[in-house]
Structure formats: C-alpha cells, structure tokens
Amino acid sequence: MPLDAPSPASPSATRPAGVLLRGLALPIAVLAFAALLVLWLIPAEVPAADPGGRGLGGRFFPTLIAAVLAALAVAQIGLVLSGGQSTAPATAAGDDDPASDEGADEDTPLDPRTLLAAAGLFVYAALVPLVGMLPATFLAVVAYMRALHVGAWWKAALFALAFVAVVAGFFEGVAAVPLPRGLLGAALG
C-alpha cells in the first residue's frame, strides 16, 4: 500500500450517515420497545415466580420476550455497524448482492413501512394497558398483516383470532399465567 493512500476504515465509517440511520432505525425502536415492556408495561407487583412455588409468575414470559427482543436488536445493531448486513434496500426482488448496495442514494428517505412497523410497536404498547393483551394483540396482528399485504381483511382477522386463541390458551390455560386485561377488561368485570 502506498504511503499516501488512506488507511482502510471500518465498514460503518465508509457508509453515509443516512444509510446507517436506515439500518439502525428499526433495531433501536425494538430495543426501546423491549425497555418499555420491562420498565412500564409489566406491573412491578407482578412476580416472576409463583409465590406458592408452583411455577412461573406473570412477569416471567414478558421479561423473557423483552430479553429476546433486546438481544435480537443488539445483534442487528452489531451487524449494521460492522457492515455485515446491507442497510440499503435491494434494487430488484431477490437481489442479495451486497456489492449492488454500494451506490445507494444517501438522500433516500427511511422506508415508510419501517417507520410504521416501529410506530406500531409503541401503539401496541400503549393499547395493552387500555384494552388488554388479547384485544391489542388481535388488532396488532391484523394491522401488520394488512400493512404487509398478506391476504384479505377477513383472512387477516381470522388468522389474528386464531393466533390470539392460541396465545390465550397457552398462557392462561397451560401456563396458568393471567394476561393483562387492561382498563377495559377491568371495567367489564
């Protein structure tokens, strides 16, 4: 290497800030959601283990989910910063060639679907204490399926209903962990 040549920089240093921002936006939102879940959505008085020593308490599964979300978000942030994953959208369907992303326009705005997905996490977090876990989950699954153009409305609603039934059956039936009912559930009795 000639003496006057610039030294090789890290992969994240060679990418424009806008491209890095696009790659980091969703994992940072997921990390914030995991923190919100542990610090605000799970009531402090809910134990992680059943006080009678019969098993897991109501805090265990949400904390486990938050920990997995946080770990995946941190891993994604590491991949983006190390240059191990492309931060620009592919130019053609199925185009996974990282070399094709080198000419990505740094002025391209953040993908609206990414912003909506991140905002959806916070809307979901706000809905759980109001309407309860099951209705909020139903609405979130329908919204995400429609946003991703997966099936018709009735198919999305049917899938969301089945998903909520499985979640309720597992947590309330098998694991004997009551799910948050929210203000609406408490008002309805």
Side-chain angles (χ1 to χ4, degrees), residues 97-116:
D97 181 20
S100 66
D101 294 334
E102 289 179 15
D105 183 8
E106 67 184 75
D107 295 329
T108 303
L110 203 55
D111 181 15
R113 290 181 298 179
T114 302
L115 292 174
L116 285 173

Side-chain angles (χ1 to χ4, degrees), residues 74-157:
V74 167
Q76 181 69 20
I77 289 169
L79 277 174
V80 170
L81 292 178
S82 71
Q85 179 174 355
S86 168
T87 56
T91 55
D95 183 12
D96 294 332
D97 181 20
S100 66
D101 294 334
E102 289 179 15
D105 183 8
E106 67 184 75
D107 295 329
T108 303
L110 203 55
D111 181 15
R113 290 181 298 179
T114 302
L115 292 174
L116 285 173
L121 290 172
F122 291 97
V123 170
Y124 178 71
L127 279 176
V128 169
L130 297 175
V131 300
M133 179 70 83
L134 296 177
T137 301
F138 174 81
L139 293 172
V141 170
V142 169
Y144 276 114
M145 288 184 73
R146 291 306 302 149
L148 297 173
H149 306 290
V150 179
W153 279 101
W154 68 271
K155 289 180 182 178

